[in-house]
Amino acid sequence: GLLLAQGFDRPFLALAGAFPFNFYPMLAMGMVLFIVLSGRDFGPMKKAELRARNEGKLLRDGATPMISSDVASLKKKDKIPARALNMIVPLGVMAGLMPVMLAATGWSALENPETRSFFGNVFLAIGQGSGSASVLYSVLIAVVVAMILYKSQRLFTFSELMDLTFKGVGGLIPLAALMMLAFAIGAVCRDLGTGVYVAEVTKSWLSPNLAPLVVFVVSCFIAFSTGTSWGTFAIMIAIGVPMAETLGASMSMTIAAALGGGVFGDHCSPISDTTIISSMASASDLIDHVKTQLPYALVAGGVAALLYFVLGFVIH
């Protein structure tokens, strides 16, 4: 939607073209795999691991674990074994239905579908599909699947399932409001010509080769300061795309830099909803969670910044 607002005829293809340059998420996931397999923790995380292993303390002295009262009040049902499939199946259904629903909602928008192969039509239909409708349908079906699983195992009564469903919906209302405001900021930036203005002001000293690096660093700062990756996307795509056009920088790399920087800042920010939810879900101290993951994120972010610097001079 943000790319469409910037004048891209095929925003889905533009986003797909940016994927290979979205370095930070790939490096962060690669670091997770490396640390798990090698066991080579460092920084505050290493101290926490040694404390847990040697002293049996999952939390440091004086730590304040974050956990909601709703989560704390849930009890394991007696005589019912814990099954990983109860989580994996609903999530798998939701993720698997997303491309299906995108293709279904975008099929009617295709022009001359008989002139292309079926898979060619599916790919184009996904690009024309409605993201909001596809998410809604996929989530609703996944919730129904989860309710059937839990009811068949007598984990919850029907009234408990409905109560938890509405609590979950209510918890997403702030996120919906945040997205609405983020798109509004993006629209204001576009109408004011913020990206063109920034490009004109900086083009005398900012090399097009450095544009992806600058966009990445600024996105990191905004996301860390605001705690939102999506809000950062709305701001930086509205600024970065016109900048790349005016300066002649790599469009795919600039878009990827905005996305990767937003994820980095959101990953590290103590006011990020994902950071807070991670702390709540693991019943850990919020600041301890931020401190232990920050060194890993900085390493991945530093390597990503170096790649944007080097490739900015190679790819135009």
Side-chain angles (χ1 to χ4, degrees):
L2 292 170
L3 293 175
L4 185 65
Q6 294 302 316
F8 286 86
D9 294 330
R10 295 184 176 181
F12 181 80
L13 294 180
L15 182 63
F19 282 166
F21 302 105
N22 200 352
F23 300 124
Y24 174 74
M26 292 186 286
L27 289 168
M29 294 177 68
M31 277 201 69
V32 171
L33 183 62
F34 171 77
I35 296 298
V36 169
L37 296 178
S38 67
R40 295 181 179 178
D41 288 294
F42 57 90
M45 180 63 82
K46 183 176 182 179
K47 295 180 181 178
E49 292 281 359
L50 291 174
R51 183 192 65 236
R53 184 180 300 115
N54 299 330
E55 303 177 32
K57 292 182 179 180
L58 297 180
L59 299 174
R60 65 172 173 80
D61 295 332
T64 304
M66 291 192 65
I67 187 168
S68 67
S69 58
D70 290 338
V71 175
S73 63
L74 292 177
K75 303 296 182 181
K76 184 178 182 297
K77 301 291 182 177
D78 294 332
K79 299 181 181 179
I80 294 182
R83 296 186 176 94
L85 289 178
N86 285 336
M87 180 187 72
I88 295 174
V89 170
L91 289 179
V93 169
M94 181 182 67
L97 282 177
M98 274 300 302
V100 176
M101 292 301 173
L102 282 171
T105 56
W107 194 267
S108 59
L110 293 180
E111 297 180 0
N112 303 320
E114 66 278 357
T115 61
R116 290 181 292 269
S117 66
F118 174 77
F119 290 105
N121 285 325
V122 168
F123 184 76
L124 291 175
I126 289 176
Q128 298 290 330
S130 170
S132 57
S134 300
V135 170
L136 176 63
Y137 299 149
S138 300
V139 169
L140 288 177
I141 294 173
V143 169
V144 171
V145 169
M147 293 174 73
I148 293 173
L149 279 175
Y150 304 157
K151 189 70 173 69
S152 65
Q153 299 171 59
R154 298 181 181 179
L155 294 175
F156 299 104
T157 65
F158 182 76
S159 61
E160 288 174 329
L161 289 170
M162 295 304 299
D163 179 60
L164 289 171
T165 299
F166 283 112
K167 283 182 179 178
V169 172
L172 291 176
I173 290 177
L175 179 60
L178 177 65
M179 288 302 301
M180 180 182 67
L181 295 173
F183 276 100
I185 292 174
V188 170
C189 289
R190 184 182 67 253
D191 293 341
L192 292 177
T194 306
V196 176
Y197 171 77
V198 172
E200 291 294 336
V201 170
T202 59
K203 70 179 182 181
S204 60
W205 57 269
L206 178 60
S207 166
N209 302 321
L210 296 176
L213 173 62
V214 171
V215 169
F216 176 74
V217 173
V218 174
S219 296
C220 290
F221 175 77
I222 293 176
F224 184 85
S225 302
T226 61
T228 168
S229 55
W230 289 96
T232 302
F233 300 159
I235 295 170
M236 290 308 299
I237 287 178
I239 295 175
V241 168
M243 271 187 65
E245 290 178 343
T246 304
L247 296 173
S250 169
M251 184 63 69
S252 295
M253 202 183 308
T254 302
I255 294 173
L259 298 177
V263 173
F264 169 85
D266 186 47
H267 186 184
C268 304
S269 175
I271 59 174
S272 164
D273 55 348
T274 50
T275 304
I276 294 171
I277 290 173
S278 296
S279 300
M280 290 173 59
S282 58
S284 61
D285 185 282
L286 173 62
I287 301 303
D288 286 349
H289 173 54
V290 173
K291 288 180 179 178
T292 51
Q293 71 171 347
L294 191 57
Y296 302 104
L298 287 173
V299 170
V303 175
L306 180 62
L307 288 173
Y308 286 124
F309 175 77
V310 173
L311 293 180
F313 290 90
V314 177
I315 301 175
H316 303 283

